[in-house]
Amino acid sequence: MRIGELAKATGASTRALRHYEAAGLITSERAPNGYRVFDPSTAVRVRNIRHLLEVGLTLEDVQVFLPCLDGDITSAPPSEKNLRVALERLAVLDERIAAQTRVRDRLAAAIVERTGGRVRTVA
C-alpha cells in the first residue's frame, strides 16, 4: 500500500504519515522507485494513533502505547503504564485550562473595572 492509499484509508494526511514514520510509530519499505510501501495492517495502527492524538495525547505519549497499537485499543483495558501516561496528560491539560481560566477571569475583571460593569461578548 503506497502512502496515498494509506492516507485515504485512514483519513490521515501524507504529511502526518511521514511524521508518524519519523517518530518511529509506523514503518515502511521502499519500492525500487523510492516510494514508501506500507503493509496494509498499518492502517489499524494509524487509526489508533489518530484516536490517541484526538483524545489529547501527544506523539511522545503515543510511544508508550506501541505494544498495543495494532489491536483494538478502544475496547481493550489499558495497561497500568498506559493509564499512568493518560492520567499525566490529563493533569497537564487540567492545569492549562485552569491557567487560561485565571487569565480569562483577570481580563473580564479588567473590562468590568474599565467599563463600569458593562461587559459585552463579541460574537
Side-chain angles (χ1 to χ4, degrees):
M1 166 178 281
R2 292 197 352 212
I3 195 167
E5 296 167 317
L6 182 59
K8 186 174 181 179
T10 62
S13 67
T14 56
R15 184 172 184 232
L17 294 172
R18 287 189 292 275
H19 190 64
Y20 301 163
E21 187 174 22
L25 296 172
I26 61 175
T27 59
S28 68
E29 300 292 326
R30 291 292 182 155
N33 60 5
Y35 290 170
R36 288 176 171 86
V37 179
F38 295 91
D39 186 279
S41 66
T42 305
V44 170
R45 180 173 281 235
V46 170
R47 285 187 201 101
N48 283 329
I49 292 166
R50 288 175 47 87
H51 170 75
L52 293 171
L53 294 173
E54 287 169 5
V55 300
L57 298 178
T58 66
L59 277 182
E60 184 179 330
D61 296 334
V62 172
Q63 292 286 344
V64 175
F65 290 79
L66 273 174
C68 58
L69 287 178
D70 296 323
D72 184 2
I73 63 168
T74 60
S75 65
S79 72
E80 192 64 36
K81 186 176 182 181
N82 292 355
L83 185 56
R84 182 178 40 79
V85 167
L87 289 170
E88 288 170 0
R89 181 59 48 203
L90 183 60
V92 168
L93 292 171
D94 284 343
E95 179 50 40
R96 287 181 183 165
I97 291 167
Q100 288 295 306
T101 300
R102 289 189 298 270
V103 169
R104 184 238 175 255
D105 291 347
R106 286 193 302 270
L107 178 58
I111 291 169
V112 167
E113 182 180 314
R114 304 299 188 287
T115 63
R118 296 182 318 272
V119 177
R120 290 182 238 163
T121 58
V122 179

